[in-house]
Amino acid sequence: MSEHFRVEGGARLAGEVEVAGAKNSVLKLMAAALLAEGTTTLTNCPEILDVPLMAEVLRSLGCQAHVDGTTVVITTPAELSHEAVSPAVGKLRASVCVLGPLVGRCKRAVVALPGGDAIGSRPLDMHQSGLRQLGATSSIEHGCVVAEAEDLHGAQIWLDFPSMGATENILMAAVLANGTTVIDNAAREPEIVDLCRMLAQMGAKIEGAGTSTLTVHGVPSLQPTEHRVIGDRIVGATWGFAAAVTGGDITVRGVDPHHLDLVLEKLRMAGAEVTVLEDGFRVAMAGRPGAVDFVTLPYPGFATDLQPFAIAMATVAEGTSMITENLFESRFRFVEEMVRLGADARTDGHHAVIRGVAKLSSAPVWASDIRAGVGLVLAGLCAEGVTEVWDVFHIDRGYPQFVENMQRLGANVQRVAAPPER
Ligand code: EPU
């Protein structure tokens, strides 16, 4: 039986919270360290479960990897193993990001596919097609993605969809390819820009970071570097929604507020007073939020990772909200759990219609992924009574000090340890 969070409803969250480095950046930057022989140091890393897991993946490839608080030090040998098949690989979706660097460095890679995901299918066809266009072969064999290239060469690659993972893998293979690669319809997320910045510090020649056309001039080798991970915009936005749903007042630091321009605008539309600060923002809400519609899209659209928080807000908003999910087919699965809490919510394909109610009521609920789990905690804060949120290991994968931060802001949230196994 896993641990659970005991969430007492009714608190108004107020105070200041500091956001650590971004999960969806650090894991890719750790993979990028494979591209250069020597010691790479990453600072401002979040203290979350996925970071030591990724360190384990790198160790299985022959690196030394030390996680010391918010610093991760990776020493990459001249000769790497090209087989990422250890148990840690399967536990971590982001482990697939070692594929591009391994193809770049070793000219071949075998990477175990992670298991199914509660947010829907996550194919790798664009990763594979991109590598093929760079001159590699790629197939799925015995539960692994296998890629091999005699020689990697630059190519013009059009992505069907601006996938973060595909952009990252193709980019990390292309930096060491012969000639120039152009990735069109590339992902524009701030985490991609962070990766491009680190690769540039390592000696890569990349133009267009943050736009949908990335041009990569291949170089023969890269050097290790020291890099500070960008602040986690998804965690930052979480606290903005926490203020909005509890009628609270939260100042968030450690994140670039411009990574959240659209999110902050949506919170304003819901009635919050939003102040943009140099290193963060403040969200203050008096009373119930108003209903707002949300449509998830790749950056700079509204992030799919924030959709559960938008739903949590909609459940207690005045009026009816329509939320459209365009990225992951099963990302509404947790809405059933919201209904347990008294939400008036229904989903139909890509859409969820939520009629706001004045109060939710507590119930035991189950987290199916990181963001769904946090969305349920936010809803629990608006529920009468004590809500138990189960399977919180999901939340620990992405949120450092989650319970401590909640408590600091005045929420009565406790971690309840699992009973010892008999
Ligand atoms: N897709 C394909 N084929 C591919 C690759 C992607 O069809 O080859 C589709 C996916 O099925 C999905 C869409 O493209 O419908 C976008 O997927 P993307 O590749 O952008 O997602 P990802 O790289 O697998 C990252 C984050 C997710 C976040 C998405 C979207 C990491 C480790 N994960 O996943 O974060 O939701 O981008 O922004 O960076 C989370 O942090 O909770 C999380 C799930």
Side-chain angles (χ1 to χ4, degrees):
M1 205 184 238
S2 79
E3 294 177 331
H4 72 273
F5 290 167
R6 185 186 179 282
V7 182
E8 202 172 300
R12 173 181 177 272
L13 268 57
E16 190 163 311
V17 65
E18 180 80 31
V19 171
K23 167 180 87 78
N24 289 347
S25 201
V26 69
L27 301 172
K28 327 302 171 59
L29 302 177
M30 290 174 76
L34 292 169
L35 287 163
E37 183 188 342
T39 301
T40 293
T41 304
L42 299 172
T43 57
N44 197 36
C45 301
E47 295 180 77
I48 52 173
L49 280 182
D50 276 9
V51 168
L53 270 179
M54 190 66 175
E56 221 174 301
V57 172
L58 297 183
R59 281 194 286 270
S60 76
L61 294 167
C63 298
Q64 289 171 27
H66 297 289
V67 181
D68 183 7
T70 58
T71 301
V72 175
V73 180
I74 299 154
T75 302
T76 301
E79 292 294 319
L80 275 173
S81 158
H82 68 280
E83 289 194 7
V85 292
S86 72
V89 178
K91 289 187 203 151
L92 182 68
R93 186 78 223 173
S95 58
V96 79
C97 284
V98 303
L99 179 64
L102 288 179
V103 174
R105 260 309 284 289
C106 311
K107 303 288 178 272
R108 54 195 178 141
V110 178
V111 181
L113 292 168
D117 205 296
I119 62 177
S121 77
R122 294 173 85 173
L124 295 177
D125 53 317
M126 285 190 265
H127 303 234
Q128 291 186 282
S129 152
L131 293 179
R132 283 189 199 113
Q133 289 171 77
L134 293 175
T137 58
S138 180
S139 53
I140 305 287
E141 287 170 31
H142 310 293
C144 296
V145 49
V146 180
E148 233 168 294
E150 295 255 305
D151 187 33
L152 282 182
H153 53 74
Q156 165 73 57
I157 297 168
W158 283 275
L159 294 181
D160 288 346
F161 186 90
S163 149
M164 279 188 80
T167 302
E168 289 154 352
N169 264 330
I170 298 167
L171 180 64
M172 288 195 274
V175 287
L176 291 179
N178 287 318
T180 297
T181 299
V182 178
I183 311 172
D184 243 314
N185 201 20
R188 288 181 281 167
E189 272 73 3
E191 294 76 17
I192 301 279
V193 178
D194 202 24
L195 174 62
C196 288
R197 270 183 39 231
M198 173 160 143
L199 291 170
Q201 282 159 216
M202 295 168 78
K205 303 269 175 274
I206 303 168
E207 293 152 23
T211 75
S212 52
T213 305
L214 286 173
T215 303
V216 185
H217 305 288
V219 294
S221 64
L222 296 176
Q223 300 82 49
T225 191
E226 184 170 332
H227 181 83
R228 183 181 162 84
V229 182
I230 53 161
D232 196 318
R233 66 194 162 103
I234 306 297
V235 173
T238 306
W239 299 116
F241 278 97
V245 298
T246 63
D249 183 347
I250 300 180
T251 298
V252 180
R253 305 237 179 231
V255 66
D256 182 341
H258 298 300
H259 294 164
L260 291 166
D261 281 336
L262 174 57
V263 178
L264 297 179
E265 186 52 26
K266 288 281 176 182
L267 291 173
R268 269 190 208 105
M269 286 164 72
E273 191 190 319
V274 176
T275 315
V276 171
L277 309 169
E278 205 176 309
D279 62 339
F281 56 89
R282 176 180 165 205
V283 175
M285 179 76 93
R288 270 174 83 181
V292 179
D293 292 343
F294 291 89
V295 178
T296 69
L297 279 175
Y299 190 83
F302 186 80
T304 173
D305 291 344
L306 300 177
Q307 178 257 95
F309 320 148
I311 294 220
M313 185 169 85
T315 63
V316 292
E318 265 179 278
T320 300
S321 312
M322 180 149 94
I323 285 117
T324 305
E325 169 59 52
N326 286 316
L327 273 87
F328 292 110
E329 64 203 10
S330 307
R331 212 157 197 179
F332 281 143
R333 203 179 279 176
F334 75 99
V335 171
E336 289 164 31
E337 302 299 298
M338 291 282 186
V339 170
R340 273 185 217 269
L341 295 172
D344 183 349
R346 57 185 293 179
T347 59
D348 187 357
H350 281 284
H351 305 288
V353 174
I354 320 281
R355 296 180 177 86
V357 296
K359 264 249 169 308
L360 298 172
S361 77
S362 62
V365 288
W366 277 262
S368 46
D369 70 271
I370 308 175
R371 315 298 172 188
V374 172
L376 290 168
V377 173
L378 295 185
L381 292 172
C382 307
E384 244 159 13
V386 172
T387 292
E388 288 175 1
V389 180
W390 288 88
D391 289 349
V392 293
F393 59 88
H394 287 296
I395 298 176
D396 295 332
R397 285 190 42 215
Y399 282 78
Q401 306 268 309
F402 182 72
V403 169
E404 294 75 3
N405 280 324
M406 277 280 174
Q407 291 171 349
R408 220 170 284 140
L409 294 169
N412 190 351
V413 175
Q414 315 283 341
R415 180 187 294 271
V416 181
E421 278 179 33
R422 282 195 279 166

